[in-house]
Amino acid sequence: MSVKKTTTIVEQLRRAQMNELLALNKRLDGRGLKDHRELRIDVGLIKKANGSALVSLGNTQVIAGIKVEVDEPFPDMPDKGLFICNAEVLPLASPYAEPGPPDEDAIELARVVDRGIRESEMISLDKLALISGKKVYAVFADVSVLNADGNLFDATSYAVVAALLTARVPKYEVQDDRLVKSEETIPLPINTVPVSVTMAKIGNSIIVDPTAEEEACMEARITIATDEQGRVCAIQKGGSGTFSVEELSEIATLAVSIGNNVRERIKNAVAPASTNNDNDNDNDNDINK
Amino acid sequence: MIVKRYVLPGDLIVEGNPHIKPLANVIKIGDRLHSTRIGIVEVSQNGVKVIPLSGIYIPRVGDLVIGKIIDYSALAWEVDINSCFLGHLPAQDVFGKEFTPGRDDLTKRFDKGDVIACRILNFDRTRDPLLTVADKDLGKISEGELVKIGPTKVPRLIGKRGSMIQMIEHLTRCRIVVGQNGVLVVTGADKDMRDVAVKAIKMVEEGAHTMNLTERVKEMLQGVQVGR
Amino acid sequence: MSRLMSEEGIRIDGRRWNELRPVRIEVGVLKNADGSSYIEFGKNKIVVAVYGPKEVHPKHMALPDKSILRCRYHMLPFSVEERKNPAPSRREIEISKITREALEPALILEDYPRTVIDVFIEVLQSDGGSRCAGITAASVALADAGINMRDLVAACAAGKVGGRIVLDINDEEDKMGEADMPVAYLPNLKQVSLLQLDGKLTADEYRECLNLAINGCMKVYNMQREALMKKYFSTKDEEGGSVED
């Protein structure tokens, strides 16, 4: 059964300070209301994975790995590959995280990230069929949160997107209805780069990329994924508060413009890796620059 | 001025009149008063309230309630008073100041499953309601029929200055102890008349919001009398 | 034009773009529950029970300043084409969470400290939009339970099917259509308490879709009102005005 948990408890003094600053369009960490924290993306550091990415969004840190296998397609979609996204908050990620099966927050996290990627049609699943109705590529994206400091939705989404963009999968030849694995590797068929933007509502302010402390004070949260054409692909409202229609209209506009900015950062971060497959690029990808 | 009389949660009752105060089951949002319950709007000099037609019993200090002993410790009984809060009856209330845990056996007075009439002595929602049986007519109930009705229907069953309940008692020759928590005990020598009393109680419960209810209950009761 | 939308703008089940499926709501269908309701929304058949406020077990889970709201959205194994494993799926866990978050803004939980309110939503037969139907019915059951509420919560989806923005997506439209946007709305407070989207919409389509869904919520709200009024106030002398004492 679904129950709300309490985790971070923010001191009343700090909460008051936060509200005071928000009234002046400022935040505790000095950011503007619509700024993301510093974003760093390192790709390809896990050689055993088909693709991988370590993403830091301020103090939030997540690692995503892509594993590609050959599997049977769903009976109702014989010519479509599979994409499965999973997320977990590791016990080392925060003093409040516990080992065990994923709780409702982790399940929501995985499903919202999955939805953004699936609904934007980032990967052409119909190009992942190997033998119609029998064999298809199955793309598994697994994300682990290493350090939780708010906005796991965006960090996780960026990590999966970066890992997918840089993933290389074995090429198969079909010989007499059987698959033969070749030495060659190919990139995944990518259509678009979806970008997730998460905002929180505290009082009457809408802020982008909330920290854990800000999340503990927020009334409601919203995550919007947009594609390269500026279309909205997936939305999830969370938290026990509400939004007005005007707020929701403004939020969508923001999600597109902020998304465009972040998309460039992600593309820059993966560019060197996807050309030479080598990646010690510790580029500073501060998206607020 | 009053928008409507029969209201649902969220319904606007009054707008833009700062002189009308929100009382029970009414909330103020901006300059608007809204109902928080399904019920009937009642305006008085003090303000506006909604008499709810559904809901569980929330204790109020001074209420007479009928409860069931469900557990006891060395110091107190736990009493199910048909609420989301458990009643707390300290042993001292029964044994007096001389009470000594260990020497005085709580079960000698009330055991699990016993039904008691008691009063809410203290309650502020932060702690479980404190009960007392130290008054006349309070304490263990050893005979009668237990009847449960919706706690929100109790005021209707009692009626104006007890008019409804007194009429039922008079015409059925039964005694009815009404707990504000919706638990009732009907006692009377004649089993058939007890049944009639229960029937009348149920009639009030189902028709709590209707008009001329007293008349209809009276007709039913007198019909039974004539039939006998 | 796809097969989901005819040249004349008629949908696969015969509805126009702004029409709801047939809706029926009943109040007080389960005797044991403190509040209950039953809803038919298209082919959806859903029963909801509310228990509480009641004591919390174990006691240390209780909150000192307000009640805990717990929600469970659950589909019966025979509610879908292929038998569903009765254990809660990831989808059901997510829907339980967003249902709770859609209902919570309407409830005055501070009035019932140290207690818990349980909402059980059982889908007997599912069609598109079961989460919205579940939230709609749950709100009615909470009102029936007599829990203090700021407002009712009405829910309805809109989406994009065959290139058009349409109200209240059914199962086939959900599977074959371009976008599905479930929305829950507090009609008196004019606030959105649930918003999800699966599928692509331009910024303009998004706004159109949101407004249409809210429009649908208002229609659903009127049906919730009717059902509650019928249960609580329908008697032959209903319009008589004053109650005697």
Side-chain angles (χ1 to χ4, degrees), chain A residues 27-179:
Chain A
R27 290 163 81 170
L28 283 175
D29 55 10
R31 274 187 289 161
L33 302 196
K34 307 297 184 280
D35 294 339
H36 265 87
R37 288 168 287 179
E38 184 183 319
L39 171 67
R40 287 169 63 101
I41 303 176
D42 296 319
V43 290
L45 67 168
I46 307 293
K47 303 293 178 201
K48 302 251 166 160
N50 296 84
S52 61
L54 177 68
V55 164
S56 306
L57 189 58
N59 288 332
T60 290
Q61 203 172 38
V62 306
I63 186 163
I66 308 294
K67 282 289 205 182
V68 178
E69 294 171 2
V70 173
D71 208 334
E72 285 174 18
F74 287 122
D76 53 339
M77 289 183 286
D79 295 307
K80 280 204 170 173
L82 309 176
F83 173 70
I84 293 125
C85 181
N86 253 306
E88 62 175 339
V89 180
L90 297 177
L92 58 69
S94 118
Y96 308 106
E98 303 261 0
D103 64 5
E104 59 169 29
D105 292 332
I107 288 172
E108 185 187 29
L109 172 63
R111 288 179 61 83
V112 170
V113 171
D114 180 289
R115 213 170 284 154
I117 290 164
R118 189 180 304 277
E119 298 298 337
S120 69
E121 297 171 88
M122 177 187 179
I123 314 168
S124 311
L125 293 179
D126 43 3
K127 289 184 189 154
L128 292 181
L130 293 165
I131 304 172
S132 176
K134 287 184 181 156
K135 296 287 175 201
V136 295
Y137 283 113
V139 180
F140 291 87
D142 288 285
V143 190
S144 290
V145 177
L146 301 174
N147 197 68
D149 186 20
N151 197 6
L152 301 182
F153 288 89
D154 289 356
T156 301
S157 175
Y158 303 158
V160 174
V161 167
L164 286 170
L165 287 174
T166 51
R168 296 199 67 87
V169 302
K171 196 177 175 186
Y172 287 92
E173 306 286 343
V174 182
Q175 288 176 0
D176 309 328
D177 229 20
R178 288 180 53 188
L179 292 180

Side-chain angles (χ1 to χ4, degrees), chain C residues 181-240:
Chain C
M181 179 194 276
V183 173
Y185 192 60
L186 279 58
N188 291 289
L189 303 180
K190 299 187 170 54
Q191 292 286 314
V192 175
S193 67
L194 164 80
L195 175 64
Q196 291 183 298
L197 171 68
D198 281 40
K200 280 183 254 188
L201 295 176
T202 66
D204 285 343
E205 286 171 339
Y206 157 79
R207 288 184 185 95
E208 190 188 340
C209 205
L210 179 60
N211 284 323
L212 184 61
I214 290 172
N215 227 304
C217 291
M218 292 310 288
K219 291 182 186 170
V220 171
Y221 173 58
N222 285 329
M223 297 179 211
Q224 290 176 307
R225 293 192 63 89
E226 256 171 52
L228 285 167
M229 291 309 254
K230 186 174 159 219
K231 162 81 190 292
Y232 281 93
F233 302 112
S234 88
T235 46
K236 40 190 179 294
D237 46 17
E238 181 189 343
E239 292 308 317

